[in-house]
Amino acid sequence: MLARVHSGTVIGVDAHPVQIEVDITRGMEAFSIVGLPDAAVRESRERVRSAIRNSGFGYPTDRVTVNLAPADIKKEGPSFDLPIAIAILIASGQVSVDNLNQTAIIGELALDGLVRPVAGALPIALGARETGMLRAMVPSDNGPEAAVVNDFEVYGADNLYDAVRMLEEGFLCEPETVTPEALDLDAAQYEVDFADVKGQEHVKRALEVASAGGHNLLMIGPPGSGKTMLARRMPTILPPMTFEEALEVTKLYSVSGLMPKKTALIRTRPFRSPHHTVSTAGLVGGGSIPRPGEISLAHNGVLFLDELPEFGQNTLEVLRQPLEDGIVTIARAQIALTFPANFQMVASMNPCPCGFRGDSARECTCTQTLVAKYLKRISGPLQDRIDIQVEVPRLSAEEVMEKRQGETSAAVQARVVAAREVQHARFAGTRFHNNAAMNSKAIRQFCPLSDDVTALLRAAIDQFQLSARAHDRIVKVARTIADLEAAENIAVHHIAEAVQYRSLDRKFWG
């Protein structure tokens, strides 16, 4: 007897429908899976056999053939266990179901029949809705994330027996629902706050400007000056995510298997901080079938690169294209996939190998040759893609002992949100969403400069020997500073502050 069950697989961040066909014929007991399965799919044979028997059903003693169609798409992971088991029970006549054409089923089976969570439940649910299906059966732990999909029913299964009962009853139980609180993006809670940071007011200002315009930022200072502490608080002052942004982030975390159990939506801005030993594939993504890397997991959030010169030079250079385009394309012999990578890069580094060059408390032990070699690890093209560079000095004893709290993240975020709203109105009808995304043509259109502002900018370019890309980034940062003041035009003091954020080019690399 032949049975068909609908499921899905994820390639990149998008789902592709998969039809599971099971045929049981007379012959010696055997179980074969065809349709480009990987090792995890082939091993489902043992999991399915034990789960069926331990759930009170009989496993057929004939020849079982499982086909995963279409056969030209590689199938990965254990998410086909549950649909294969259900198809076997239907083909063997133990389960009678009228119509499964409108239902997608995914789930991993334990040997006792329990249904375990799988990666990619959200994109598979989205893909099933797009192909015209009405509902999906998923593991209970994946229920909330799949239930985010509108106009689509999601049913959570705890074990194989419950899944079969739901199918036979025609889904009489209530589908999974998501509470309004779980989708309230304005109520997202962070564990850290800007008020915890003592001193470093000029660095906080730089972070505010970077957040308001979507600019990349580099902090240079000795160990213990608070660079990491400041960077970890940057997501708290970024604008709350829109539902579309949250859905994009949740899809990426779902595909990567990083979704917390029973979580419907990732509501806080991502903050990813890979170690400097991370490989190129770990940073940008990779694998025989490419998976998202750290830069994609930081999509719509912050990628923090601590000790920037310690990263491999090739690893840093692959950041250049994603920083410009907001996407990363990974090509393999059989497939090329594009992942979103619209992140803000925040980096930190010491001024020298020992970390104490220019420090007021400790003397630097590095030679000029060592310092030059250390700083040269940051290439000129990568420096040009960092809009804001700021020095983070060691705190004084008075600042460390200060009991008064600083400004809260909520207060800073309010100014950032106001500046972003100005930008949204300015860029309405264009493909740009913030000042950092502007190209040269947009800069000329949206950032007119008066004669005195142009004269100051020309003097700064001559003095600091800045590149054309650095010129554009100074203007974009100045536009953001003006937006924070709700100023219609860029003034001299806006350009002056923006130029200060490029002055480290000459101090450290000039």
Side-chain angles (χ1 to χ4, degrees):
M1 185 175 176
L2 180 67
R4 290 186 176 91
V5 173
H6 293 281
S7 186
T9 188
V10 176
I11 300 178
V13 292
D14 297 316
H16 294 259
V18 173
Q19 190 176 72
I20 295 172
E21 302 172 329
V22 171
D23 182 50
I24 301 178
T25 56
R26 290 185 178 181
M28 294 182 61
E29 181 176 346
F31 189 113
S32 59
I33 301 179
V34 296
L36 283 184
D38 73 345
V41 179
R42 289 194 296 269
E43 289 172 355
S44 65
R45 168 178 54 194
E46 308 303 332
R47 295 190 296 270
V48 168
R49 180 187 288 116
S50 297
I52 288 176
R53 288 172 175 167
N54 291 326
S55 297
F57 302 102
Y59 185 80
T61 56
D62 296 319
R63 180 176 181 83
V64 178
T65 303
V66 179
N67 179 41
L68 308 178
D72 60 341
I73 295 178
K74 183 77 172 177
K75 319 300 188 307
E76 284 190 317
S79 61
F80 299 109
D81 290 2
L82 181 59
I84 288 174
I86 290 173
I88 289 175
L89 294 176
I90 294 173
S92 62
Q94 300 179 71
V95 175
S96 178
V97 181
D98 292 335
N99 188 0
L100 276 180
N101 288 334
Q102 303 299 316
T103 306
I105 302 174
I106 59 171
E108 177 186 347
L109 287 174
L111 298 184
D112 59 357
L114 289 176
V115 180
R116 290 173 171 158
V118 295
L122 175 57
I124 288 175
L126 287 167
R129 185 190 64 178
E130 292 172 0
T131 57
M133 294 194 181
L134 301 179
R135 68 188 69 87
M137 179 185 289
V138 303
S140 291
D141 287 339
N142 292 126
E145 71 175 272
V148 171
V149 181
N150 295 323
D151 303 321
F152 191 74
E153 294 180 353
V154 173
Y155 296 88
D158 291 315
N159 53 64
L160 178 59
Y161 181 83
D162 288 344
V164 170
R165 180 173 52 81
M166 273 192 285
L167 291 172
E168 290 186 320
E169 293 176 352
F171 297 100
L172 295 178
C173 57
E174 290 295 320
E176 293 273 350
T177 58
V178 182
T179 63
E181 292 77 14
L183 302 178
D184 187 1
L185 299 172
D186 290 326
Q189 296 292 322
Y190 293 91
E191 296 179 355
V192 295
D193 195 279
F194 247 48
D196 304 330
V197 182
K198 297 180 179 179
Q200 308 292 15
E201 298 302 326
H202 69 293
V203 187
K204 294 179 186 178
R205 168 66 176 177
L207 287 167
E208 180 180 340
V209 173
S211 300
H215 305 286
N216 301 317
L217 179 142
L218 172 64
M219 294 180 285
I220 304 178
S225 58
K227 302 185 294 296
T228 301
M229 185 179 186
L230 286 157
R232 290 191 179 278
R233 283 151 180 78
M234 187 167 179
T236 68
I237 63 174
L238 289 170
M241 284 197 290
T242 64
F243 181 77
E244 290 73 19
E245 288 177 329
L247 198 62
E248 291 173 353
V249 173
T250 304
K251 281 179 64 177
L252 286 162
Y253 277 67
S254 177
V255 167
S256 303
L258 299 176
M259 280 292 291
K261 291 182 179 179
K262 299 291 185 180
T263 299
L265 203 64
I266 301 291
R267 297 188 296 159
T268 57
R269 296 269 180 189
F271 180 86
R272 303 296 297 182
S273 180
H275 192 261
H276 63 260
T277 57
V278 66
S279 65
T280 301
L283 189 64
V284 302
S288 56
I289 294 184
R291 295 290 187 185
E294 290 290 337
I295 63 174
S296 293
L297 294 174
H299 179 60
N300 291 329
V302 174
L303 177 71
F304 177 51
L305 302 180
D306 196 11
E307 304 297 341
L308 186 64
E310 301 299 335
F311 285 79
Q313 191 155 9
N314 290 337
T315 302
L316 289 180
E317 293 308 306
V318 298
L319 287 173
R320 287 158 55 177
Q321 179 256 337
L323 284 172
E324 290 288 333
D325 301 336
I327 58 173
V328 58
T329 300
I330 303 171
R332 293 292 181 266
Q334 296 179 340
I335 195 170
L337 295 175
T338 298
F339 295 106
N342 183 25
F343 60 91
Q344 277 187 255
M345 187 181 79
V346 177
S348 71
M349 60 179 287
N350 296 329
C352 65
C354 77
F356 300 105
R357 182 187 182 197
D359 186 28
S360 58
R362 294 184 59 177
E363 184 177 353
C364 174
T365 59
C366 304
T367 64
Q368 287 296 329
T369 303
L370 280 176
V371 173
K373 185 178 179 181
Y374 177 77
L375 295 175
K376 192 176 287 187
R377 296 177 187 175
I378 313 300
S379 68
L382 184 60
Q383 292 173 42
D384 276 349
R385 286 167 172 80
I386 300 174
D387 301 358
I388 298 176
Q389 304 163 1
V390 61
E391 204 164 0
V392 187
R394 183 186 300 275
L395 291 176
S396 65
E398 291 76 11
E399 289 174 315
V400 172
M401 300 301 294
E402 176 66 54
K403 294 183 179 180
R404 180 177 57 87
Q405 278 196 326
E407 195 173 22
T408 65
S409 292
V412 180
Q413 185 188 52
R415 296 195 294 271
V416 169
V417 169
R420 287 287 183 107
E421 288 174 352
V422 172
Q423 294 166 48
H424 290 161
R426 176 186 300 126
F427 300 131
T430 71
R431 65 181 180 86
F432 308 114
H433 53 275
N434 58 35
N435 289 334
M438 286 190 292
N439 57 22
S440 297
K441 182 179 178 181
I443 292 173
R444 290 192 297 271
Q445 179 181 353
F446 297 112
C447 304
L449 303 178
S450 62
D451 292 341
D452 53 346
V453 171
T454 302
L456 176 60
L457 184 56
R458 183 181 294 111
I461 292 173
D462 290 340
Q463 180 177 353
F464 297 117
Q465 299 178 350
L466 300 175
S467 66
R469 183 181 281 115
H471 163 273
D472 288 352
R473 294 189 180 278
I474 288 174
V475 175
K476 288 191 284 188
V477 171
R479 179 67 267 177
T480 299
I481 296 169
D483 290 341
L484 284 167
E485 295 182 4
E488 183 176 352
N489 296 314
I490 297 175
V492 170
H493 66 280
H494 300 145
I495 283 287
E497 182 177 351
V499 168
Q500 286 182 349
Y501 295 136
R502 300 294 309 191
S503 60
L504 298 186
D505 273 346
R506 180 161 186 174
K507 178 175 180 180
F508 289 96
W509 289 279

